[in-house]
Structure formats: C-alpha cells, structure tokens
Amino acid sequence: MNIRPMQAGDFSAFWPVFQAIIQAQESYAYDPQLTEDQARALWCELPQETWLAEEDGVVLGSYFIKPNAAGPGAHVCNCGYMVAPAARGKGVASALCAHSQQRGRALGFLAMQFNAVVASNTVAVALWKKLGFAEVGRVPGAYRHRSLGLVDCLIMHKWLQAPEADKPLTASAPLIARKNIEAVVSRKRKKN
Amino acid sequence: MNIRPMQAGDFSAFWPVFQAIIQAQESYAYDPQLTEDQARALWCELPQETWLAEEDGVVLGSYFIKPNAAGPGAHVCNCGYMVAPAARGKGVASALCAHSQQRGRALGFLAMQFNAVVASNTVAVALWKKLGFAEVGRVPGAYRHRSLGLVDCLIMHKWLQAPEADKPLTASAPLIARKNIEAVVSRKRKKN
C-alpha cells in the first residue's frame, strides 16, 4: 500500500468510492446528491492536505486533514477517511489514520478531533478507540441513518503531542480557514 | 429591544462588536485578524439567517442560524451569538437565544447544537444550561484562551421538537451547505 498526496487529477478515480459512501448515508454528513465537482472541492480544496492510498494503481482509500477551527481553535486538526468497499478489512483505515497523525504532528497540530462519528458505525468507533482516540462527547440523534433513523454522533479526541509542547502555530493553519471565507467574499462580489 | 433580520448594510454598525469579541480571544474560534469583509461573509453570508437586536438605533447584539452539517446531519442547527460589551447583563443573549430557537423550529430543525462553548466562559455556559441546553461533550484544551492558555470546549445540545416529530427536511437546509461548496468550486474555476 502506497500513501501519497492526492492530485486534482486523482479525484475521478476516487469519486466512485466517495459517491457510494455518501449515498449509503450511514457514516458521512455530506449531501448524498453532491456532484463530482462539489465533492472534489469538499475533499481536495477545502482541506489543508489530502492523501490517497493505492496499490497496483487501484484506489484503496483517502483522507484529508485540516484545522478543526480557526484562530484560537486552530491547534486542533480534523480528518475524514474513506475506504473503498472492496478494500475493507485490510487495515487501510488504520494505515490512513496512523499516517494522518504523523502529518498532524508535522503540521504542528496538538490534537486531533472527530466531530461526528456515527455511533452505529461500530467498526469505526472500535478502530478509533484502538488507535488511542477517546470518546469525549455524544450528541443524541444527530445523524439520520438511512435505515436506522436518528442515531447518535460521537465526538472523539486524541492528543498528538503533550499539551506542554504547545508552541506558536505554523502560519498555514489560520490561512486555510481564511481561504474559505475569501472564496465566499469573492463569490458575493461577483454576484453584485 | 427589537430583533430583526440583519441586512448587508447593517454589518458596519455591528463590526466594532464583532471585532472586540474576536480580538479578546476568550469565546470565539475565529481568526482575530479577520477583516470586516471576511467577518461579514462569515456572519451574514455563510449562515442561513442572521438577526440583529437593537434599541433606539443602537446595536445590542446579533446571532446567526445555519445547519450544523449537511445531508444526514442537516436536521440539527447551529447558532452563534454576540452581545455588545456595553449591552451585557440586560438579557440580550437570552432574548437572542429564545428567538433563535423559535426560528430553528420554524425552519424545521429538530435540535440545536453548539460545537465549542469555551468552558471558561462560565456566564455563557450557565445561561445555555438555564435555557435548556445539556452539556453532551467536553473537548480537552480545544481553545487557546488569550490569558488562560488551553481551555476545554463544551458541546451543548437541545431538542427543539420531540424527535418523534421527525419529518422530511425543508429543501433549504441542504442547499445552504451546498452553497458554500459551490463558492469554492467557482473560486477554483476562476483561478484555473
């Protein structure tokens, strides 16, 4: 398994995986009607970095990493992971998560936070716990599962560095958050 | 006190309040260096609705309401509230929050979630609890308070309707989330 930066041209090969996952409506709070262009923007342009796992030219999965919030919250990162249905049970999610924690440390983040792990996704919850994430919150009925109806979402958290290692942030983190705002400003100006 | 929709032209009168609050770095995870245009986009354009509280032409505070997530998470709304320093202790936050809960119900949301209530902001925490919000999570050290250093963030939640009242969403909620993605797509296309 090779994990490398995802390039814009890679997304088409990943799109069937992305689409199957959002249409299942079992794990991601993304609009199931997203187009490929919208999904590419969400997965590859909004985040700080996006990585792809592949083997023999076949896409196994992908993850993104970004600041979970701006300014005084920008020392915590957030990641999203997707694994191709055909590649499940082979340790891909585990490898992606380990890789993302290394990237998080390298980028200067102190901790990693997942905002909405669907509680009925027991395989994911068990994996994140095994990889050192703590359940720090549970929001009742926050996810409308396609077959189970309203299910809880978990907030999960892991320190990537001892909080004592706290140091000034790299310049890039707040800039990423600012980028999204500027996109909206620019869109609004074009409209007027 | 009059609470009315905030118009684009109202933001300049609110901007000093917004700027004082983000520069204090005690309650909001916004970049303290935001410009007025960026702040307007964040507060007035990204959300579904933005409301302004005023009295005798003086701005007392403001709040926004938006879906907390897209697709299967779009039945939960999220709000942000800001009260002018000079108007504190007069029940403005309480009035804004009551108003936002009415709007949330009217827009078809089932619940309201706050993702990052800074734990050291004890006045806010006590107020939300008094208004019926439950603490459903606590993320350690997720906020870099300007004078206290890393402090916890609370996740707070309130049902706006009995979950049994669950019904198909209004069309507007997922569209709002889609709007932000389209802004990025459009920006990206302009660049290429």
Side-chain angles (χ1 to χ4, degrees):
Chain A
M1 185 186 326
N2 179 34
I3 301 179
R4 62 168 177 81
M6 187 187 255
Q7 312 296 343
D10 291 324
F11 192 79
S12 292
F14 175 59
W15 166 239
V17 173
F18 189 103
Q19 194 175 30
I21 288 171
I22 64 172
Q23 290 186 348
Q25 296 177 62
E26 294 173 350
S27 57
Y28 269 85
Y30 288 156
D31 183 342
Q33 305 300 323
L34 286 178
T35 65
E36 185 176 337
D37 275 356
Q38 291 168 333
R40 182 189 295 107
L42 199 61
W43 197 260
C44 300
E45 295 172 36
L46 285 174
Q48 189 162 353
E49 295 184 354
T50 307
W51 292 77
L52 181 76
E54 60 180 5
E55 199 164 56
D56 302 327
V58 175
V59 170
L60 302 180
S62 174
Y63 80 89
F64 68 75
I65 184 166
K66 63 177 177 60
N68 193 51
H75 58 290
V76 180
C77 65
N78 168 252
C79 293
Y81 310 85
M82 286 191 181
V83 174
R88 287 190 186 149
K90 296 179 177 177
V92 178
S94 181
L96 289 174
C97 186
H99 191 277
S100 69
Q101 291 179 51
Q102 288 176 355
R103 288 305 305 154
R105 281 185 204 97
L107 293 166
F109 292 109
L110 285 185
M112 188 180 288
Q113 179 177 340
F114 302 150
N115 299 303
V117 180
V118 179
S120 54
N121 190 358
T122 52
V123 172
V125 174
L127 178 61
W128 304 147
K129 287 188 177 171
K130 187 179 152 194
L131 295 176
F133 287 80
E135 180 182 324
V136 298
R138 174 182 283 257
V139 188
Y143 190 85
R144 190 190 303 273
H145 189 283
R146 196 177 54 163
S147 54
L148 303 174
L150 298 181
V151 295
D152 297 349
C153 283
L154 308 183
I155 294 103
M156 303 191 79
H157 176 272
K158 181 178 181 175
W159 288 107
L160 298 180
Q161 306 182 47
E164 295 77 32
D166 195 16
K167 55 183 179 183
L169 280 169
T170 58
S172 60
L175 287 175
I176 292 295
R178 227 177 272 164
K179 187 178 78 172
N180 303 344
I181 299 164
E182 276 157 9
V184 176
V185 173
S186 129
R187 175 177 162 278
K188 175 78 177 184
R189 291 217 177 107
K190 240 181 18 188
K191 230 172 59 184
N192 292 342
Chain B
M1 185 189 323
N2 179 35
I3 301 179
R4 63 167 176 82
M6 187 187 255
Q7 313 295 344
D10 291 325
F11 193 79
S12 291
F14 175 60
W15 166 239
V17 174
F18 189 103
Q19 193 174 31
I21 288 171
I22 65 170
Q23 288 184 350
Q25 298 177 61
E26 294 173 349
S27 57
Y28 269 85
Y30 289 156
D31 183 342
Q33 305 300 325
L34 286 178
T35 66
E36 185 177 339
D37 274 356
Q38 290 168 334
R40 183 189 295 108
L42 199 60
W43 198 260
C44 301
E45 296 172 35
L46 284 175
Q48 189 161 355
E49 294 184 354
T50 308
W51 292 77
L52 182 75
E54 59 179 6
E55 198 163 57
D56 303 328
V58 175
V59 170
L60 303 180
S62 174
Y63 81 88
F64 69 76
I65 184 167
K66 63 177 177 61
N68 193 50
H75 58 289
V76 180
C77 65
N78 169 252
C79 292
Y81 311 85
M82 286 191 180
V83 174
R88 288 192 184 150
K90 297 178 178 177
V92 178
S94 180
L96 288 175
C97 186
H99 191 279
S100 69
Q101 291 179 51
Q102 287 175 359
R103 287 306 303 154
R105 281 185 204 98
L107 293 166
F109 290 109
L110 285 185
M112 188 180 289
Q113 179 176 339
F114 302 150
N115 299 305
V117 181
V118 179
S120 54
N121 189 358
T122 52
V123 172
V125 174
L127 179 60
W128 305 147
K129 287 187 176 172
K130 188 180 152 194
L131 295 176
F133 287 79
E135 179 183 324
V136 297
R138 175 182 281 258
V139 188
Y143 191 84
R144 191 189 303 272
H145 188 284
R146 197 178 50 163
S147 56
L148 303 174
L150 297 181
V151 295
D152 298 348
C153 284
L154 308 183
I155 293 105
M156 303 191 80
H157 175 272
K158 181 179 181 176
W159 288 106
L160 298 179
Q161 306 181 46
E164 295 77 34
D166 194 18
K167 57 184 177 181
L169 281 168
T170 57
S172 59
L175 287 175
I176 292 295
R178 229 177 270 164
K179 188 178 77 171
N180 303 346
I181 300 164
E182 275 157 10
V184 175
V185 173
S186 129
R187 173 176 163 280
K188 174 77 178 185
R189 291 219 177 105
K190 243 180 17 187
K191 231 173 56 184
N192 293 344

